[in-house]
Amino acid sequence: DDYFNSGRLGPWWVNPTQTAAGGGNILNFFPGGFVLSGQTSSRHVYGIRQPAPLGAFTVMAKIAENGPNSSDIRSGLFVGILGGKGHVCGPFPQDGNLGALGVTTVSDTADWSSYDGYLVNHVGSLTTPTWYRIVWNGSGSLSFDYSLDGITWTNIAVRTGQSQPTEMGVCEYSNSGAVTTSANLTIYRFRCIPG
């Protein structure tokens, strides 16, 4: 568990996750969390990551997207393979809808990645801090869920035929528009449960 109470990242985090477009992260800590924003207006990924466990695991985070709601932004919790693609699950404040959430691919080595089974659900006024969860079953399947209370979960998507994730973290990502410093996430907690 990481509650981000120390005012800095622990040594297990790699900061920043960024792509060839450059830039980096701005991390503004407060008691019990931090706000993540980028330093450039380029198309790319920014965020923080750490190694994922071997075998099956569940990773979750409590996240709020702060906008803007007209950006081409996909953000939230992610798992991936270092040096390649991964999946991000969380708030997607695109199409002028801050109440959207979804799942899509993400890359921390390319400026953006092609759509690969992109899915977005518009769930109304879901703009409060929300739990997101990714479950790796250890044998090719990823499940993506959200919860308003961290107890009752609703599935967003399932992806099969996947490889063992080697990294996990939180990020913001833009496929065709610019990630700007006005787009940011508030992260309140990060948790990983092996097995």
Side-chain angles (χ1 to χ4, degrees):
D1 288 0
D2 200 333
Y3 291 87
F4 306 108
N5 284 324
S6 66
R8 59 182 172 78
L9 290 178
W12 49 89
W13 289 104
V14 175
N15 173 42
T17 291
Q18 66 183 52
T19 56
N25 299 326
I26 301 170
L27 304 178
N28 292 308
F29 287 89
F30 59 88
F34 68 96
V35 176
L36 165 70
S37 56
Q39 295 181 9
T40 70
S41 58
S42 300
R43 302 172 185 169
H44 72 299
V45 175
Y46 60 90
I48 60 173
R49 67 174 185 251
Q50 62 176 285
L54 292 176
F57 66 89
T58 298
V59 62
M60 59 187 76
K62 189 176 183 181
I63 299 171
E65 172 61 62
N66 305 320
N69 65 2
S70 60
S71 295
D72 179 35
I73 302 295
R74 293 84 190 225
S75 58
L77 183 66
F78 80 89
V79 297
I81 299 172
L82 187 62
K85 284 186 177 181
H87 297 282
V88 61
C89 168
F92 285 23
Q94 59 185 19
D95 305 324
N97 189 336
L98 273 174
L101 55 86
V103 175
T104 194
T105 54
V106 65
S107 171
D108 62 15
T109 58
D111 288 349
W112 63 88
S113 61
S114 300
Y115 289 131
D116 181 10
Y118 168 75
L119 169 72
V120 63
N121 292 335
H122 294 278
V123 294
S125 59
L126 183 58
T127 57
T128 58
T130 302
W131 283 96
Y132 297 93
R133 177 176 76 177
I134 302 174
V135 180
W136 166 248
N137 73 350
S139 60
S141 178
L142 288 166
S143 178
F144 305 89
D145 312 299
Y146 78 95
S147 173
L148 299 179
D149 58 12
I151 300 170
T152 303
W153 295 90
T154 300
N155 183 253
I156 305 169
V158 175
R159 299 273 163 82
T160 59
Q162 304 299 301
S163 300
Q164 171 78 48
T166 62
E167 62 178 2
M168 58 188 180
V170 292
C171 71
E172 287 216 317
Y173 159 71
S174 179
N175 184 73
S176 60
V179 174
T180 68
T181 56
S182 62
N184 56 75
L185 287 177
T186 302
I187 295 94
Y188 297 91
R189 187 177 173 187
F190 186 94
R191 185 178 190 197
C192 182
I193 305 168

